[in-house]
Amino acid sequence: MTTASTPVPARAHGERVHARSAGFWADWRTVALRALRLTWRDPEAFGPALAIPLFFFVVNVGALQAFVESGSRFPPGFDYKAFQLPVAVVFAVTGISRAQALVTDIQDGYLDRLLLTPVRRGTLLLGLMTADFVLILALATPVMLLGLALGIHVATGVGGVLMFIAMAGFWGLGFTGFPYAIALRTGNPSAARMAASTVLVS
């Protein structure tokens, strides 16, 4: 602690001043929070990803439920809504990625400026993927709630619902690596967008 009676020693002429790292967790949290703020400001990044699966889930159930459940190919008590719910969730969470935002940071020079700071390199990508994971959970939850509202029964209760959403989150997170790899390799937003679309189609 420095007081008035203890003067601060002057630095020698030409001595380098190095910035001190804030630590891994602080860097991770800072990058993730920035990515989340940018995500919520861009509804195009998640609006269609939520609206389209909800739309097709309702249409498929409304158009095909009576036909499928009345047939003899499935056992008695077969719930077509429960069969379609995982399809809608996977459709909602697959291909979600901030890779295009990463390309924008590369082109704008923001990533280069970050690399000049003492921020840990791994957190630059890990923070973006954390924001992706939160967004994926936010997309899977409304689809799951719609299924419950339509009368789907989850045998394992609330714990099963939470586990299902968590599994959807890790599923979507597993596919985010492809767009990020393309984004870092090419620095091209079109290539990153194409990679995310290819993952979604496949």
Side-chain angles (χ1 to χ4, degrees), residues 1 30 52 62 66 70 75 94 97 134 156 191:
M1 181 175 178
T30 302
I52 294 175
S70 63
T94 304
S97 175
V134 173
T156 51

Side-chain angles (χ1 to χ4, degrees), residues 22 24 32 36 58 61 95 100 114 120 126 144 147 175 178 182 201:
F24 177 84
L36 283 172
V58 173
V61 170
Q100 297 180 43
L114 281 180
R120 297 176 185 270
L126 190 58
M144 186 67 193
F175 280 91
F178 298 103
I182 298 297
V201 172

Side-chain angles (χ1 to χ4, degrees), residues 90-178:
V90 169
F91 193 21
V93 304
T94 304
I96 301 299
S97 175
R98 295 286 303 169
Q100 297 180 43
L102 177 60
V103 172
T104 301
D105 288 341
I106 294 174
Q107 293 180 335
D108 293 343
Y110 180 77
L111 184 63
D112 290 334
R113 293 194 294 271
L114 281 180
L115 294 176
L116 294 175
T117 68
V119 63
R120 297 176 185 270
R121 302 299 183 258
T123 60
L124 297 178
L125 183 58
L126 190 58
L128 293 175
M129 297 184 72
T130 301
D132 288 340
F133 184 72
V134 173
L135 177 59
I136 290 168
L137 295 181
L139 292 174
T141 300
V143 181
M144 186 67 193
L145 292 177
L146 177 61
L148 295 176
L150 292 178
I152 293 177
H153 173 68
V154 181
T156 51
V158 178
V161 172
L162 296 178
M163 181 61 67
F164 182 78
I165 294 175
M167 290 174 61
F170 286 110
W171 169 273
L173 185 63
F175 280 91
T176 61
F178 298 103

Side-chain angles (χ1 to χ4, degrees), residues 4 8 14 35 38 46 50 58 66 79 83 96 101 121 127 138 147 160 166-167 173 193 195:
V8 179
L38 293 178
F46 60 88
L50 177 61
V58 173
D79 189 352
F83 175 77
I96 301 299
R121 302 299 183 258
M167 290 174 61
L173 185 63
R193 190 182 307 110

